[in-house]
């Protein structure tokens, strides 16, 4: 190949995928749970608000997403399975949301971009009375606030 061919190949290559598509241009969809696409919900053990080792990678994905999307704030929604009293679950949901928030801040996400809310057991994703349903309901969702 002559020098010009190489130059052209380089030019095409540097464009690659083209400009990063702005989030404005498409409606924000849901990835899993009630979490905005681009992020992932984080799941918790029964009666626990600690971020599990197997969930750390999900929090890291969310941290990267939030740091890249400068315009958006993210609401962390704590959810519980239906066992336990409503009051207890509201408090547990709040601890879960706070725990996820703290983790994100440790990963360099600005606190100003994060808010938390607890839904306790008010917004169950799955109604089943079995471990699979309960496990899905014990989570923090990450929702872009536009």
């Amino acid at each position: 190949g002559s020098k010009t061919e190489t130059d052209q190949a380089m030019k095409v290559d540097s464009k690659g995928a083209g400009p990063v598509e702005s989030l404005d241009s498409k409606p924000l969809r849901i990835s899993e749970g009630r979490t905005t696409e681009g992020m992932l919900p984080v799941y918790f053990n029964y009666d626990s608000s600690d971020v599990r080792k197997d969930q750390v990678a999900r929090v890291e994905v969310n941290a990267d997403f939030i740091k890249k999307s400068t315009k958006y704030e993210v609401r962390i929604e704590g959810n519980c399975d239906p066992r336990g009293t409503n009051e207890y679950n509201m408090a547990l949901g709040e601890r879960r949301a706070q725990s996820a928030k703290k983790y994100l801040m440790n990963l360099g996400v600005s606190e100003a971009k994060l808010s938390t809310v607890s839904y306790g057991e008010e917004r169950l994703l799955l109604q089943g009375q079995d471990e699979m349903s309960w496990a899905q309901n014990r989570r923090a969702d990450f929702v872009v606030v536009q």
Side-chain angles (χ1 to χ4, degrees):
S2 69
K3 184 174 166 10
T4 42
E5 266 176 56
T6 317
D7 280 354
Q8 267 175 332
M10 301 273 276
K11 272 194 200 94
V12 171
D13 213 32
S14 67
K15 274 212 183 61
V20 176
E21 192 181 338
S22 125
L23 287 170
D24 286 344
S25 59
K26 57 178 194 273
L28 296 170
R29 293 193 298 272
I30 302 297
S31 73
E32 197 185 302
R34 295 192 175 89
T35 291
T36 304
E37 194 174 53
M39 294 181 288
L40 294 165
V42 169
Y43 297 94
F44 294 89
N45 287 335
Y46 176 65
D47 201 19
S48 167
S49 58
D50 296 337
V51 174
R52 301 187 329 220
K53 296 248 186 308
D54 70 337
Q55 299 294 302
V56 168
R58 288 170 164 257
V59 184
E60 290 169 347
V61 164
N62 297 351
D64 290 343
F65 178 91
I66 298 166
K67 285 190 266 188
K68 279 191 199 106
S69 18
T70 46
K71 295 193 294 295
Y72 294 132
E73 289 176 22
V74 171
R75 186 174 61 233
I76 305 167
E77 301 178 348
N79 297 277
C80 301
D81 72 34
R83 296 172 291 177
T85 65
N86 278 6
E87 296 73 22
Y88 183 82
N89 282 335
M90 282 311 258
L92 179 58
E94 182 59 29
R95 287 198 302 276
R96 284 176 175 163
Q98 291 296 341
S99 173
K101 176 182 174 181
K102 208 169 294 164
Y103 215 109
L104 286 169
M105 287 165 59
N106 288 340
L107 292 169
V109 175
S110 153
E111 184 171 12
K113 296 178 87 170
L114 303 171
S115 60
T116 59
V117 64
S118 173
Y119 289 118
E121 59 184 82
E122 304 294 304
R123 298 179 70 195
L124 295 175
L125 199 62
L126 297 178
Q127 298 293 335
Q129 294 298 309
D130 56 84
E131 184 47 44
M132 204 205 93
S133 302
W134 290 330
Q136 292 288 309
N137 288 322
R138 295 194 298 265
R139 69 179 196 289
D141 278 318
F142 299 80
V143 179
V144 164
V145 186
Q146 298 192 72

